[in-house]
Amino acid sequence: DYRREKRLRRADGRWQWVRMTASAVRSDAGPPYAVAHIEDVTVRRAAEAALARRALVDPLTGLSNRGVLLDHVLLEIRELERLGGAVAVLYLDLDRFKDVNDTLGHAAGDEVLRTVATRLSETVRGSEAVGRLAGDEFIVVAHVWDEAQALRITRRLVDTVSEPIVVGSRAIVVR
């Protein structure tokens, strides 16, 4: 028996997932032959990918969720034995964010959170991980060699987040 899922390019250029199964059939009544079945599983594969993404990613910001961040912290702690140094877990809570939701509405608040997430993602370096803990709380995990390096990373992140965010015609400053 043969079973396999494979991604194929259609004639129109789009990609499609198919499940192919084939079985050899032997019979005393005639020569052996094969039965093959090809099934389009594109929708199922897309649903599985969406579920996996929801399990790992904050849906509003696209950042890692708390479970992924915890895994990253544990990975960094294991790396300490090999590399030395320390793990910095930096917690960022936006000041005056409640005021944004209360005065401008939740859509504006969501826009602020997405902008902060984008800025943090663009600011962290390859060895640093950023995620959304909950609400207006973000975490950055970094391997550092000393406290001074952790403070430099913190200053860089705070400076990035403190830049005004334009929502509609309003400039909003969160820190």
Side-chain angles (χ1 to χ4, degrees):
D1 283 358
Y2 174 83
R3 291 184 176 144
R4 184 173 174 190
E5 288 191 8
K6 186 172 175 107
R7 192 170 154 224
L8 303 172
R9 187 179 297 268
R10 297 168 36 129
D12 63 8
R14 293 185 297 155
W15 289 97
Q16 176 177 0
W17 279 97
V18 296
R19 179 184 323 152
M20 300 177 291
T21 56
S23 298
V25 179
R26 290 174 180 77
S27 169
D28 292 338
Y33 60 94
V35 174
H37 176 75
I38 298 176
E39 177 185 7
D40 183 350
V41 293
T42 305
V43 172
R44 179 185 55 84
R45 291 292 291 242
E48 288 171 350
L51 283 172
R53 180 168 165 74
R54 277 190 225 135
L56 303 173
V57 175
D58 173 65
L60 177 66
T61 63
L63 295 177
S64 298
N65 65 20
R66 77 173 71 213
V68 173
L69 287 171
L70 178 59
D71 287 346
H72 194 79
V73 169
L74 296 174
L75 177 69
E76 287 294 335
I77 289 171
R78 280 190 221 112
E79 285 292 300
L80 292 179
E81 293 177 8
R82 190 171 66 84
L83 300 173
V87 176
V89 179
L90 310 171
Y91 171 81
L92 293 89
D93 181 26
L94 304 179
D95 291 342
R96 298 190 298 264
F97 179 74
K98 184 180 180 319
D99 295 341
V100 173
N101 275 338
D102 290 347
T103 59
L104 301 176
H106 290 282
D110 288 352
E111 184 61 31
V112 168
L113 292 174
R114 282 190 292 270
T115 300
V116 168
T118 299
R119 288 180 181 181
L120 290 173
S121 295
E122 291 171 350
T123 302
V124 296
R125 298 194 173 129
S127 62
E128 301 164 359
V130 62
R132 181 174 174 215
L133 191 58
D136 64 344
E137 301 168 336
F138 297 86
I139 299 286
V140 175
V141 179
H143 186 136
V144 296
W145 296 106
D146 55 29
E147 185 178 337
Q149 184 182 8
L151 291 171
R152 283 191 302 276
I153 293 169
T154 302
R155 174 57 37 212
R156 178 170 33 98
L157 296 171
V158 168
D159 289 348
T160 297
V161 171
S162 297
E163 292 291 321
I165 299 169
V166 177
V167 176
S169 61
R170 308 251 338 231
I172 300 166
V173 177
V174 293
R175 292 190 170 92

